[in-house]
Amino acid sequence: MHKQTQTGEKAFCCQVCGKIFSKSSKFIIHMQTHTGEKSFGCKECGKRFSQNYSLTLHMRTHTGEKPFGCKECGKTFSQSYSLTMHMRTHTGQKPFSCKECGKRFSQNCYLIKHMRTHTGEKPYHCQECGRPFSLLSDVTKHKRTHTGEKPYCCHVCKKRFGRSTTLTRHMQTHTGEKPFCCQECGKRFTRSTTLTIHMRTH
């Protein structure tokens, strides 16, 4: 378990994967990823964690504590990582770049999803019909075609919809909003597809 580094300092080596740690505390935490040991338990719901830090973060889902605040807009977050991600909406920072097309993203998870447009990878499948999808959210939406679930409700006429985008379009029938404008003649439309068809007249 113990090794000597080139500087003579004692190091802790994992016999399972070979990873080396300079501190015993980090070595002990790492070993739990192999053993599956979860020493820290939530007193509210019983969920267990391998690290006390993970338990601390989890407890905020019960207490509602959000100690990290954005200085730009005042929005608060339970994790510093979430604040870091949020700040990029203000700074415009997009550190993750697609090697195929150069498109940039604020979060690595967005880049991973984008890469599937190049690779064609569809790792998620509907358990009902087996249809593959590139995004888990698309599977959730698709499942509603089997269950008939319509979780989005119009507060004006109480009509229900399976997708939030469909509800948004429906609301325009009540508000009269036409967000898509022809740059040639100024005519406005409720849907982008209708605008595209109209543009062919010019």
Side-chain angles (χ1 to χ4, degrees):
M1 183 177 79
H2 294 97
K3 280 189 174 183
Q4 294 291 123
T5 64
Q6 291 180 344
T7 59
E9 295 177 349
K10 186 180 287 187
F12 301 87
C13 180
C14 175
Q15 299 299 311
V16 180
C17 66
K19 198 169 184 180
I20 297 174
F21 300 85
S22 60
K23 294 183 179 180
S24 62
S25 58
K26 291 186 177 181
F27 170 69
I28 292 170
I29 291 171
H30 166 77
M31 286 307 297
Q32 291 174 346
T33 64
H34 295 301
T35 64
E37 181 186 358
K38 295 182 178 180
S39 308
F40 304 94
C42 174
K43 294 179 180 179
E44 293 289 331
C45 66
K47 192 172 183 179
R48 301 194 68 81
F49 302 87
S50 59
Q51 298 181 43
N52 188 46
Y53 174 72
S54 300
L55 172 59
T56 300
L57 294 181
H58 166 78
M59 286 304 297
R60 290 173 184 160
T61 65
H62 296 298
T63 63
E65 182 189 8
K66 295 182 179 181
F68 304 98
C70 174
K71 294 180 180 179
E72 293 290 331
C73 65
K75 192 173 183 180
T76 56
F77 302 88
S78 60
Q79 299 183 40
S80 60
Y81 173 79
S82 299
L83 173 59
T84 301
M85 295 299 101
H86 166 77
M87 286 304 298
R88 290 173 183 162
T89 64
H90 296 298
T91 63
Q93 183 188 16
K94 295 182 178 181
F96 304 99
S97 176
C98 174
K99 294 180 180 178
E100 292 290 330
C101 66
K103 192 172 183 180
R104 302 188 70 87
F105 301 88
S106 60
Q107 296 186 39
N108 189 47
C109 61
Y110 295 153
L111 172 59
I112 292 172
K113 291 176 182 178
H114 166 78
M115 286 304 297
R116 291 173 188 154
T117 63
H118 296 297
T119 63
E121 181 191 8
K122 295 183 177 181
Y124 305 105
H125 293 80
C126 172
Q127 293 180 343
E128 290 290 329
C129 64
R131 184 176 171 182
F133 296 88
S134 58
L135 301 176
L136 184 59
S137 58
D138 288 340
V139 179
T140 302
K141 294 172 186 175
H142 166 77
K143 281 182 178 178
R144 292 173 188 150
T145 63
H146 296 297
T147 64
E149 181 190 8
K150 295 181 178 181
Y152 304 100
C153 180
C154 172
H155 69 274
V156 178
C157 66
K158 307 306 178 184
K159 191 173 182 180
R160 303 190 70 87
F161 303 89
R163 297 193 176 194
S164 60
T165 51
T166 310
L167 171 59
T168 300
R169 286 200 299 267
H170 166 79
M171 287 305 297
Q172 292 169 353
T173 64
H174 295 299
T175 63
E177 181 188 7
K178 295 182 178 181
F180 303 99
C181 181
C182 174
Q183 298 299 313
E184 293 290 329
C185 65
K187 193 173 182 179
R188 304 188 71 88
F189 303 88
T190 56
R191 298 189 183 187
S192 60
T193 52
T194 311
L195 171 59
T196 300
I197 294 171
H198 165 79
M199 287 301 294
R200 293 171 188 157
T201 64
H202 296 295

